[in-house]
Amino acid sequence: MDQYVACASTEEEHNLTVFQYRRKIYYRASQVIPTGTELLVWIGEEYARTLGLKLGEHFKYEFGEKELLMKLFQDLQLKPVDSMSNHVSSQSQYLCNDMVAPMMQAHKTSYPLNNIGHTSSVFPLLEGTQNLVSLGRAQSRYWTFFGFQGDAYGRIIDKTKIICKLCGVRLSYSGNTTNLRQHLVYKHRRQYNDLVGTQGAVVDPQKHPESVLPCELASRAIVTPTVGRTTRAVADFIVRDLMPVEIIEGEGFIQMLAILDPNYKLPAISFLAHTILQEMYIQVKVKVVDLVKNLQDCSISLDLWKHSGTLSYLTLTIHFVDEVFESRNVMLSSRAVAEDLSEGSLISVLLDVAEEWGIRDNTFYAVGLNSSSVKVAALTVGWKSLPCVGQVLRSCIETVLQHHTIQSTLDRFRKLVAFVCSSPIKIEEMATHGPVLKVHLKMFLRDGTKWYSIYTLLQSIVDHSKYFKSLTETMSESEVVLQQDDWSILQDAVEILKPLAIATSTFTKDQFAGLSLVKPVITSLLYKHLAPNEWDSDFSKTIKKTIHEDLSFKYADHEVNRVLNLACALDPRFRGLDFLSQPDRVETLHLLKLEASNLAKLQTTEPTCVTPEPLNSKPPIKKVKQDSGIEFLLGDLCSVRNSSVSTVNQQAEQEISSFQTSEASSLCQDPLQWWKMHHTQYPLLARAARKLLAIPATSVPTNWLFTDAGLAVYRKRSALTAENVDMLVFLNGNRLML
């Protein structure tokens, strides 16, 4: 009868009272109830507050919220039976009491979370349900678990423990499993998932329909409440703009919603964070887990960023090229790390993430900080550490800016700009030289010398040197006047920064530029654009020498250069490897043949489905091959080459030879688009290309490094509370999966 009883909003409108007698719930009419009247029960204000249910005419609930809380009230009144029969009857229906405690906990403000967003403690089960299902650390409203007994509803599970690897869900039996026969049915909101653990399996209702709950039992299961459109929009706003959950308590936010929908009631912060956003997190995580587990060749990028004070986080993103040769990246986790970045803390974080997502064996390269601790930690996990080219270019540009000569020159120019901007007449005069100059000078005063925008600023200053020289001739302040040597320094700095700025803009064309672009760019900087010349000034010679030493040191690792060369060999733009020496070219092509051959052999050793032959089938009769006359005479003397029986190594060598001698591609062509059209022509090299061209050149999206976008992102991240960092950064990074 529970499904026919609703919760009264006031004590005056109720027409039923509820009480418990001998472990059964009874309803008693408190007044005459006409036919067709809704049955209403009053649960009391104190009990309503316990359930999180607000009563009264002035409270508006979104669809499903009030019904859910009323369902909790009904389930809390039910008591499990003392004994369980082997078959479910109308007198002893299964009561879903074991989920009431977790559901109630979801509505409390103190909801403990660990660093990956799951509940960190085990919820207590109600009396009588301890031997049904023991829910571990991944309690969630997103799933509904049913534990029941009886041979009529499935096969016996003899394992004492079932571990589901999805999102860290751990399910275990307690008690004597020989006498207690149970089944677990995992019900997804939209689909059934077949989860396989290390010591057992979960019954899939689609494969075992006999294990599906009867209608009368399934109707009693607690379901996830339907979230209203406005509440969902608030959650999406927080995720997409990476806002702290506490923003919904802001006066301006509340006023805006009151204007848009005067009757809307904002959910509590705890309900929004621990229920709605947590459910969104689990939905996306299920998709990511399903995606990552089927990947073969991946790379990972390591983004280290500062949150607040001494707290820093390491965000890991996985990169791969899919079967249609599209570059893909998925954000995995954000973990707190020690401020000193010790090897031990990094190893612990990388191992934990690798085990959680199952990426240790199918990931080969890690792109991130060029530090010894990161290299050792990545090597311990089994990954080769590669430097982030964005950080390398930043180091080169900062080498120019940190030179004492350029610093003193820029300080004098800053005083000159401040003097000009303090006079309205001079501002109007400056405006006649174009609005761009005015904008650049204001940026120079406001932001200083940002490494990724300094070239554009200095180039604008040099282009308008005549205006500034004429301006200084009328000024008497010697401290703000630039001398001829200062203009020479600025001109030399522009010439040095120009190739570095073009290199940064080259990498910003894609969200994550490929690794194959790194070696040609670095080589051109070292041996062409930044090579010393006879006519260089002492300042230019000093700066170029420092940059040359820095670049050479960052890419001195022989193993790193091997990976860079292999990526270039698979890029149709650089397949000729003209920028390599002859020994390096020969070595790279040999390594490419080994790489393609090994990947092909691994693919052939993967298990395949073989159709079993009938038991009574007889082996086919072998026909004796009749040699032709010439084969009889010369078969032992001349080996006939047959492409169908060529070895994998020979096929790889043939593909490399054909690929090297084919028509060169344009430098502006996307290498993955080229492989999308030609992968059938070079099947072995195509597999190697998917592996090596998936490696990113930078540890974060390139526009984060070379524009102001990165500052905005990290500023938003640092405003998040520590307990929500992993969840919100994950959802924001994978928002396209929502």
Side-chain angles (χ1 to χ4, degrees), residues 194-231:
D194 191 10
L195 306 179
V196 180
T198 57
Q199 301 183 32
V202 178
V203 179
D204 185 350
Q206 292 182 345
K207 297 181 180 179
H208 305 281
E210 73 278 3
S211 61
V212 179
L213 290 176
C215 296
E216 63 269 21
L217 299 186
S219 63
R220 302 190 60 85
I222 296 179
V223 297
T224 306
T226 303
V227 178
R229 185 174 62 178
T230 305
T231 301

Side-chain angles (χ1 to χ4, degrees), residues 196-386:
V196 180
T198 57
Q199 301 183 32
V202 178
V203 179
D204 185 350
Q206 292 182 345
K207 297 181 180 179
H208 305 281
E210 73 278 3
S211 61
V212 179
L213 290 176
C215 296
E216 63 269 21
L217 299 186
S219 63
R220 302 190 60 85
I222 296 179
V223 297
T224 306
T226 303
V227 178
R229 185 174 62 178
T230 305
T231 301
R232 177 71 186 199
V234 171
D236 288 340
F237 160 72
I238 291 174
V239 168
R240 295 181 186 279
D241 284 357
L242 200 60
M243 291 294 176
V245 182
E246 293 75 14
I247 195 175
I248 67 172
E249 291 185 336
E251 181 180 353
F253 190 86
I254 295 175
Q255 182 181 5
M256 178 187 67
L257 287 182
I259 295 174
L260 296 176
D261 186 357
N263 296 322
Y264 176 70
K265 180 183 69 70
L266 268 170
I269 286 183
S270 58
F271 182 78
L272 181 65
H274 303 145
T275 304
I276 300 176
L277 290 173
Q278 182 71 10
E279 180 178 338
M280 294 170 62
Y281 171 80
I282 295 176
Q283 287 180 4
V284 178
K285 189 168 184 178
V286 169
K287 297 178 183 178
V288 173
V289 168
D290 187 59
L291 176 66
V292 171
K293 70 180 180 181
N294 296 320
L295 298 179
Q296 295 177 334
D297 306 307
C298 312
S299 300
I300 202 157
S301 58
L302 311 176
D303 176 21
L304 181 67
W305 53 280
K306 194 173 186 62
H307 181 266
S308 59
T310 60
L311 183 60
S312 297
Y313 281 88
L314 185 65
T315 299
L316 293 89
T317 303
I318 198 165
H319 305 260
F320 62 96
V321 173
D322 60 19
E323 295 179 353
V324 294
F325 286 88
E326 293 290 340
S327 179
R328 303 276 302 277
N329 61 86
V330 179
M331 191 170 289
L332 298 183
S333 299
S334 297
R335 300 297 179 86
V337 294
E339 186 180 13
D340 57 353
L341 286 182
S342 62
E343 294 179 5
S345 63
L346 287 175
I347 292 174
S348 176
V349 169
L350 294 184
L351 285 175
D352 191 21
V353 173
E355 293 299 328
E356 176 188 358
W357 296 93
I359 60 172
R360 183 171 184 178
D361 295 332
N362 60 354
T363 302
F364 300 93
Y365 304 102
V367 179
L369 297 175
N370 190 28
S371 64
S372 57
S373 58
V374 172
K375 293 180 181 179
V376 173
L379 187 61
T380 303
V381 183
W383 305 336
K384 177 61 184 176
S385 178
L386 301 174

Side-chain angles (χ1 to χ4, degrees), residues 74 445 474 615 633 682:
Q74 293 172 348
L445 291 178
T474 61
L615 296 177
L633 292 175
Y682 309 101

